Amino acid sequence: MSHGEIPRWRKLMLVLVMFLTTGCFGFIQPFVPLWLTASGVSRGQLGVVTGVATAMALVIQPLLGKLSDRLDARRPLMVGTALVAWGAYLLYGRASGFWPLLLLTILASNGFMYLNAVGGVLVGRLAGVGQGGAGYARYRVWGSVGYVVIAMGSGLLIKPQPGMTRADLAPIFTFGPWIFFLIALGALLVPDPKKRISVNTPIDAPKKPIDPNLDRFLLAFGLYSFALYGASSFLALYMRQLGATPRQVTWMFASGVVCEVLVMSQVGRWTDKHGRTPALALGFILMPLRLLLYIPALGPYWVIGVQFLHGLNFGIVGAIGVAFVNDLADDSNRGALQARFAATGGLATALGQLACGYLAQNYSIPVMFAAMAGVGMIAAALLITRVGESLKR
């Protein structure tokens, strides 16, 4: 089946899977850190659990990406990783103790990470040349909608008053994991286009060499992820420290994603016309400012307001980073390069979580925000001065 013959219902199924895949992060991001600390995990141990689990992406994600390229098939791996995450999060609600939670977090986070990365591969194969930004954003924006829906729905499962015990949070891990089961069912029906093979291209033609610009971008993106997602792992704890209710925690995360939807719906088309790097530079510059603005918060609503800047961080970088990598890839290595992109973010986030856990445990969360803002400034400077445009006309 050629790319042009893919039925519309299969494309709609991809929209649904991306809706659910990003949507499930709406129960993971606000409540996993709270569940871990309610289970007796300290701030320092929280950094270890989330950091080590995410660091495993350095090994697991490239292997999955290369396997999908070799098989030229993504559906089987999508089903498998969704079922792994489903089982891990079902057991999460019954587990306690550092080592069981660490093992389950490794399984769950890597299943989730592959599902996020593979969306970029599928859309990259569906999108036309020069339309990768709008193409990916058009699908990915529904994931952001799913995040808001599931995050707000998760907040309704728990009591509105302050309370962060395992009993308070248990409904989240009773119903939330079943989203991954639905993803596994939906993945059976998503479009899975095969490699484009030109009649003018010899069968033994060498693969497209990897652009060195990709390495420079991944370095900048790694520093960006180290700072932002290392610090973001402690936002739920910061909100609890400020006296937030569990529902205010979900409002905080959802507010940023509402802005993300608005940004993502426009930025892809804009970068197809004007280039990727100007938009990426804006997202990178605003990230350290966002971290600094968390520091003077006196209550949860200040953090909720600052969180709207998330739309100009992930709304740009989350979508256009994928398009940037797709610009430098072809169908023979797109899965491997997107897995490399995901692994870079995973490793950087892991190291950031470890560093942020140490800073939060031994100093304070505001000190942690300030330190990560400094790293974010270095990432922005590197992107602006060393990373070239990926979109070739």
Side-chain angles (χ1 to χ4, degrees):
M1 179 179 289
S2 70
H3 294 201
E5 297 172 351
I6 293 173
R8 180 177 176 81
W9 68 267
R10 285 198 181 274
K11 295 181 179 181
L12 292 175
M13 189 58 62
L14 178 57
V15 169
L16 176 61
V17 167
M18 295 184 79
F19 175 96
L20 293 172
T21 298
T22 307
C24 68
F25 203 45
F27 85 84
I28 295 169
Q29 188 178 39
F31 296 111
V32 163
L34 297 175
W35 180 263
L36 290 172
T37 54
S39 302
V41 175
S42 69
R43 288 180 180 181
Q45 288 175 324
L46 173 62
V48 173
V49 170
T50 55
V52 171
T54 315
M56 291 299 294
L58 185 65
V59 176
I60 296 172
Q61 297 302 315
L63 290 176
L64 292 174
K66 289 180 181 179
L67 179 60
S68 71
D69 284 339
R70 177 164 299 198
L71 297 174
D72 197 22
R74 283 137 294 275
R75 285 188 203 129
L77 293 176
M78 292 176 72
V79 173
T81 52
L83 290 176
V84 167
W86 169 62
Y89 278 121
L90 276 179
L91 293 174
Y92 217 75
R94 299 178 175 87
S96 62
F98 175 82
W99 292 107
L101 287 169
L102 172 61
L103 175 61
L104 292 173
T105 306
I106 289 171
L107 294 172
S109 63
N110 275 277
F112 172 73
M113 195 175 298
Y114 178 78
L115 291 168
N116 269 277
V118 78
V121 178
L122 293 176
V123 177
R125 292 198 172 193
L126 293 172
V129 176
Q131 300 176 340
Y136 180 70
R138 186 167 57 248
Y139 285 90
R140 175 58 182 74
V141 71
W142 289 104
S144 299
V145 174
Y147 183 106
V148 174
V149 171
I150 292 174
M152 299 302 290
S154 297
L156 296 176
L157 292 175
I158 50 184
K159 296 180 292 186
Q161 65 268 25
M164 304 289 183
T165 67
R166 282 172 63 97
D168 294 324
L169 300 171
I172 300 297
F173 295 97
T174 300
F175 297 102
W178 287 93
I179 300 171
F180 284 103
F181 186 78
L182 295 177
I183 293 171
L185 295 179
L188 294 169
L189 302 173
V190 297
D192 193 3
K194 305 304 178 183
K195 295 176 183 176
R196 297 178 178 91
I197 300 176
S198 170
V199 295
N200 298 318
T201 301
I203 295 176
D204 60 349
K207 292 183 178 181
K208 178 181 178 181
I210 297 176
D211 192 324
N213 194 40
L214 177 63
D215 290 330
R216 295 190 291 269
F217 171 69
L218 291 179
L219 177 58
F221 176 72
L223 291 172
Y224 171 94
S225 299
F226 177 95
L228 178 57
Y229 299 115
S232 295
S233 298
F234 292 83
L235 274 176
L237 301 186
Y238 191 50
M239 287 285 282
R240 184 178 66 180
Q241 181 177 307
L242 294 170
T245 67
R247 289 187 185 178
Q248 285 174 324
V249 173
T250 61
W251 298 343
M252 182 268 294
F253 284 108
S255 66
V257 180
V258 169
C259 183
E260 174 188 311
V261 170
L262 299 176
V263 172
M264 198 176 286
S265 65
Q266 300 298 320
V267 71
R269 187 180 302 108
W270 190 91
T271 65
D272 286 341
K273 183 176 181 181
H274 300 287
R276 314 293 189 212
T277 52
L280 287 169
L282 177 62
F284 271 62
I285 290 169
L286 288 176
M287 186 272 284
L289 174 63
R290 168 185 167 187
L291 295 182
L292 290 174
L293 285 173
Y294 288 133
I295 296 173
L298 297 176
Y301 287 104
W302 176 281
V303 179
I304 292 172
V306 174
Q307 191 69 6
F308 278 100
L309 283 175
H310 175 81
L312 292 170
N313 295 152
F314 191 84
I316 295 173
V317 180
I320 305 309
V322 172
F324 188 102
V325 174
N326 274 335
D327 292 340
L328 303 179
D330 60 23
D331 284 352
S332 69
N333 64 6
R334 196 179 309 279
L337 294 191
Q338 286 294 347
R340 187 175 170 189
F341 176 60
T344 298
L347 177 62
T349 299
L351 295 175
Q353 288 165 337
L354 290 170
C356 288
Y358 174 82
L359 292 171
Q361 180 75 30
N362 294 283
Y363 298 95
S364 68
I365 293 179
V367 167
M368 177 202 71
F369 285 139
M372 292 303 104
V375 176
M377 292 176 189
I378 296 172
L382 179 61
L383 179 92
I384 293 168
T385 60
R386 298 292 297 160
V387 177
E389 178 57 53
S390 66
L391 188 61
K392 310 300 182 184
R393 297 295 186 180

